[in-house]
Structure formats: structure tokens, C-alpha cells
Amino acid sequence: MKELYLNEISPIIGGVLVKGEGNPLIKNVVTKPSKVGSNTLLIDLYTKSKIDSNVFSKSTPVIVITEKPKDFSRFGDGITIIKVDDIEATYWRFIDYYRSLFSIPIIGITGTAGKTTAKEMLKHILEKRYTVQATYKSFNGGHRSHRYLLGINENTGAAVIEMGVDYPGDILDYLKYFRPNIRMILNIDVYHLVGCKTPERYLKAKAEILHDLDPVNGTLILNGDDTNIKKIDVSKFTKIIQYFGLSESCHYRAENVTSDSKGIRFTLHHQNQSYPVFVPGRGKHNVYNALAAIAAASSAGVEIKEACEELATFNHMIEHLEFKNGVGGATIIDDTWNVTPISMTSALQVLDEISGSKRKIALLGYMPQLGDGDYAQQEYAKMGGRALDAKLDLLIVIGDQAKKIGSRAIELGMDPSNVFFSNDGNELYQILQPYLNQDSIILLKLPHRVMIQDSFQELKSKIIES
């Protein structure tokens, strides 16, 4: 974080000095006593947390802002205590102040699928000219926002924040921390129904990204081909919208999309200029991810030609349609980072596109954030149709919640003898073993919580060459 002196933030914090003197330097700000170190400001949000006197005796100076100064009064001379009446309000005043110290491009990204990939693409582009602060992998839960914000300092030239939605209001929390001046919606499908309950509420939760966006000086980057994004009222932002996609009306438009074993190529059209683009990876969805990243980079001050050139050196992400050598010469597509209906559809399309004459096998798992209601079953039934569209030779469904994928595929005409249901990695290996040869391509599209189970870890080790 940017180092601060107590006198700099005292007018923001307010409160009454109970103990201490001087003007200590602050190198870190925490909200739990267990996280305290030297030159730390503790904003005592979690008043019921255990307070270890040893931590405080080893850490000086420490500044504590609290509603309960008695909890800290027994500690030594290296502690400064400030009493406030409303600790949460004090915390948010500090967050607002800290964010106000930086006038840099901050890009907030949301979408049902592809957020992490688009974020990493954008980060890769920006890092040529900026020191970039970004959320780590797909660890974007709101409780981590504090550390990501404090990761911005005087050396930071840009920040890229992935904003997920589990419940309505989640994006509003991100906005309170980061106030992104460039905001992006990659796509909106059906997901996170455990917290949002209905597709309509999920759509509204995603649309929260528009809250308090400056309709003159902000930037809004939207997928111009996404039918659900088109349902959002963006009429007040028409002057700042940048659309990306394949449609003629998009500001950043891809044309002549081709792919091979090395990646995807397309021509980008923007403001009467054309640019060749190469993106390592597979799938039409990565065309959209690349377009979104280029649009955001351009809004952050990077020349489009430079952004396109940088994308060509992007390292494809692990467990995102990652091609691996399988035992016996089989090809394994590891797409287990996350499982959503839209990403499962994309994975099946890639499997179909690249298989040629080889045998197509897909292991499709349940999608944890769909829940188990009627909407979830509708989505699983759709995936049964997608499996049929991909002309699978073998479909294996994992998880009782996802059985509708297999049953629907059978209803639509898939041979029942080629559809299996299993929850055990050892049993799956017995099913797959006869097909572990150079004539097979096997897609793994399973949730992380399944893949970390011992039997599935063992399955992965048995079918993928080390």
C-alpha cells in the first residue's frame, strides 16, 4: 500500500485519542487483531476477534481505531488508540480516502464466464507499460477487496478487478471499494441461482455494475452480441458505451475467425482500421475475451496495435480448455477451472470442432451454483441437447444433480448404451480405460470440488501423462 502518516488520515477518521502520541508511519491497514504487525493500522471491525497480547508486544508502532478502547488499553507504549462511535462508518471513510489518492485507470470486469481469462489477457497487455494491480486468478470474493485495494500504491499505473456475483448486492460492494472508471460485462447467462434464486434476479445483480458510473467520463464496455445484456437499460450511457463482438454495429468487431492447434486468428475492425489478431487458446468465446481485453486496454491508454501484438504472447491459462497428452496417445481437454452452462456449451463446441474423425468423449459434471430448482433442471436439460449437438460418442455424467444432462440426451436420441452416470473416479477409469488411445479425445468438464476428491485426483493421474 501507499505509506501514510497518522496525521494524514486523522481528519478522515475523526474520533478521540485515548492513548499514544506522535505521528506514526502506517505501512499496512488490517481489520483483524491477528493480522497486526509493525507500522500497522488496525481498524477494529471484528470486535469479537481474539486479541493476542503477544502479537501486539512484538509489533510497534500500532495504531488501533476501535469502539472499545478498553480491549487494547493493557498493551504497552507502542500502541496508539483512537476511539470512534461507529467503526464501520470509519472504515468506509478510510476506504474512500485511500481510493481517492489514485487517479489511474481501474477496470472492473463481470460476466458469467470468461472473467478470469479476460482479466488475465488485459493484465498481460497493460503490463508492458504499467505496474498493474489485479485480482488473483479467480479469487475475487468481496471479502478480498480490502487487500486488493491496498495493493494499489504510488507505483501502480492501472488496476484490473474481477467482480463475481453470488448474491444481489455483491457488485455494489466491489464498486464501493474500487469505483472503477472503466466497466465491462462479458456475457450474462443463467448461473448463481443459489444466491440469486431466479435468472431475472441474477441479471439485475449483474446490471449493478452501472451503479454510479459517470455517463460522461466513464467507459462501459459491453458484449454487443449477448441477448441478456441487451435487456439492460443503458440508455443514459450511450455516449460512453463501447460494444465488442461479431456484429456489424460493434465498435470492436472480429471477422474472418479461424483456428488451429496454436490458437485463434481473426481480423479486428475498429474506426475504419483493421488489425490482425492472434490469441493462444481455443474457442469462439476467446474471441470475445480478446475483443473485450483490447477494448479495455484501449480505454486505458494502450494503442490498439500494441494491444493486439501483446495478446499474441499471452500464456493460455491452466485448466481452461487446456490440451494435455493422455495415456495411450489420447488427447485430454482439461476444462475444470469452473463449470457454468455457457462454459460447458463452449467446451462441447470446441470438442466437436477439433475432433475430426476421432472418438468424442465428455465427462460433464454438475454445476454447484445452479442449485437444484426448476431453473437448474432446465439448464441441465439444455446441456443434454448441447451434448447431442456435439455428436458425442460417449457421455459420462458426474453428480446426481446433473443426471438430467444424460437423461435428456437419451430422450433426444442418444444411444443409452453410450451414456453413463457415475460419482466415483475409480469407476470412471474402468469406463474410460478401453478408450485411452490415439483415436480418442476426452473432455473433462467437472467442478473443482469434484476434482479435488481423491478418486478424481487418481483418475486424472491415470489418464493424463505426467
Side-chain angles (χ1 to χ4, degrees), residues 184-255:
M184 176 197 302
I185 309 180
L186 275 172
N187 46 58
I188 302 178
D189 196 47
V190 178
Y191 206 50
H192 286 289
L193 300 183
V194 172
C196 293
K197 306 304 181 187
T198 69
E200 292 75 21
R201 290 188 71 201
Y202 178 63
L203 175 63
K204 288 181 180 179
K206 287 293 188 184
E208 291 172 359
I209 198 172
L210 304 180
H211 179 72
D212 281 349
L213 177 61
D214 189 329
V216 177
N217 298 311
T219 301
L220 182 60
I221 299 172
L222 301 176
N223 184 332
D225 299 336
D226 189 283
T227 56
N228 282 323
I229 291 176
K230 291 176 182 178
K231 297 175 184 177
I232 299 173
D233 181 6
V234 294
S235 55
K236 67 182 289 189
F237 303 104
T238 52
K239 293 181 179 179
I240 63 168
I241 293 177
Q242 296 287 307
Y243 286 106
F244 64 90
L246 307 182
S247 305
E248 287 286 339
S249 58
C250 290
H251 301 88
Y252 294 82
R253 179 171 63 88
E255 190 179 57

Side-chain angles (χ1 to χ4, degrees), residues 425-426 429 453-463:
N426 296 318
Y429 178 69
Q453 295 175 16
D454 289 343
S455 68
F456 282 86
Q457 286 290 314
E458 187 176 349
L459 169 68
K460 206 169 179 181
S461 68
K462 286 180 177 178
I463 66 173

